[in-house]
Amino acid sequence: MVLDLEKRTYLLVTGASRGIGQRMAVELADHLKAGSVVVLLARTEQGLAQTKSSIEALGKDLKVYIFSIDLSTAKKSQFLEILDKSLQGVNVRSFERAFILHNAGTVGDVSKSAVESSDTDDWQVYFHMNVFSVISLNCEFFRKFTGVSKLVVNITSKCGIEPYGSMSFYCSGKAAREMYFRVLAVEQENEDVLVLNYAPGAIDTEMTELVQRQSSNKELADFFKMQRDTKTMLTTGQTTQKFLKVLQEQKFKSGDHVDYWDDEE
């Protein structure tokens, strides 16, 4: 089956101010049909404005909204307000598809081992940002677009299915988040809902730079350094093109984990 992206779409992307979220938002917008709505969420308003400008430079008839929000403290009421503002005067049934891309995420404290990470306040903040806010936004998105075909993408990681030293926050958060979306896929299997957990690979972004600098796992830090030094670390453009190919070819089943390197090694 081929997934047609060229539909009148309501597209919501979190973490859209930089990195792969920014690149994916622009590339996806370029596929959408005129009259689509693109909603960009992140903390940094300046980065959001840059993403918006890049989308508007495509010259397509799209409405683009930006909302600065801190997902580490975000509440249900804020998500409802964002959805309502971006849909003001619009009938949700006029969209052929509602597409949400859960990209926003943080790596957590990589300087500590699992047994050193004992502060429950740190874990509460991390899980609110990377799991609880994601679930809350997704729930309100589903309620708002009842009766509309939905495409849900969770940006996950190999860390969600394999353990890596110094990455207890990141691995735990990705695992919990991915399982939520797998459950969602099972529950929605008889509905017009498609769920994808996409692992983009190690990307040359600020996140992998932070891991390289601060990780207590020397082997992991050295691996990232080697990739940068040899220019073999993936770019946002490379993983976005693979992501679009995965979507369009739709060889996966709803809820599947698909990695950038699948079928490449």
Side-chain angles (χ1 to χ4, degrees):
M1 181 182 294
V2 176
L3 182 69
D4 181 12
L5 294 175
E6 295 184 10
K7 292 182 177 292
R8 187 168 189 266
T9 302
Y10 179 97
L11 171 65
L12 191 156
V13 182
T14 68
S17 63
R18 61 184 182 180
I20 62 174
Q22 184 175 63
R23 186 63 179 261
M24 286 181 173
V26 176
E27 295 289 342
L28 286 169
D30 197 28
H31 283 77
L32 304 183
K33 188 183 288 185
S36 293
V37 171
V38 180
V39 180
L40 308 172
L41 273 59
R43 280 183 298 182
T44 310
E45 193 162 352
Q46 182 178 359
L48 287 171
Q50 292 173 348
T51 310
K52 180 181 179 181
S53 294
S54 295
I55 292 173
E56 291 175 339
L58 298 172
K60 307 190 72 171
D61 179 19
L62 307 174
K63 288 186 178 179
V64 185
Y65 297 91
I66 61 174
F67 296 94
S68 176
I69 184 170
D70 184 353
L71 294 178
S72 67
T73 57
K75 304 295 184 185
K76 168 184 173 179
S77 58
Q78 291 173 272
F79 298 135
L80 283 171
E81 183 179 4
I82 287 169
L83 289 166
D84 286 342
K85 283 185 175 180
S86 61
L87 288 166
Q88 194 167 11
V90 179
N91 183 345
V92 297
R93 295 296 184 95
S94 67
F95 293 105
E96 296 175 273
R97 175 182 290 133
F99 183 172
I100 186 165
L101 174 58
H102 295 284
N103 165 69
T106 58
V107 73
D109 188 347
V110 297
S111 68
K112 296 176 182 173
S113 67
V115 295
E116 293 173 320
S117 304
S118 60
D119 192 326
T120 55
D121 288 340
D122 290 343
W123 282 101
Q124 286 281 359
V125 171
Y126 187 81
F127 265 72
H128 192 113
M129 162 73 201
N130 293 278
V131 181
F132 304 153
S133 286
V134 174
I135 293 172
S136 180
L137 172 58
N138 197 74
C139 290
E140 298 314 315
F141 180 84
F142 265 68
R143 290 192 182 100
K144 185 62 69 175
F145 288 99
T146 300
V148 179
S149 174
K150 285 178 279 293
L151 175 57
V152 181
V153 175
N154 170 44
I155 298 300
T156 187
S157 169
K158 192 174 182 179
C159 290
I161 57 176
E162 290 189 21
Y164 288 86
S166 84
M167 305 289 280
S168 59
F169 282 95
Y170 192 66
C171 289
S172 299
K174 287 298 187 185
R177 186 158 143 171
E178 180 160 334
M179 183 54 75
Y180 166 79
F181 285 107
R182 289 175 62 189
V183 171
L184 177 72
V186 169
E187 293 176 342
Q188 298 289 324
E189 63 182 345
N190 295 320
E191 305 297 329
D192 191 6
V193 175
L194 183 63
V195 180
L196 170 65
N197 290 292
Y198 177 69
I203 313 297
D204 191 1
T205 61
E206 292 180 20
M207 181 180 288
T208 51
E209 287 179 357
L210 185 150
V211 173
Q212 185 177 321
R213 290 195 312 271
Q214 299 182 7
S215 177
S216 59
N217 182 345
K218 187 175 185 303
E219 183 179 353
L220 182 61
D222 287 348
F223 177 69
F224 281 175
K225 182 179 186 304
M226 178 275 293
Q227 285 193 316
R228 280 200 167 83
D229 289 347
T230 58
K231 300 188 184 303
T232 54
M233 184 170 277
L234 296 174
T235 66
T236 58
Q238 286 174 303
T239 198
T240 297
Q241 288 308 304
K242 178 63 178 280
F243 169 63
L244 291 171
K245 181 181 178 183
V246 168
L247 282 183
Q248 291 167 326
E249 292 183 350
Q250 199 189 328
K251 295 178 181 177
F252 62 92
K253 291 186 291 187
S254 188
D256 277 355
H257 174 111
V258 178
D259 193 281
Y260 173 90
W261 293 107
D262 288 352
D263 302 323
E264 296 290 334
E265 297 178 316

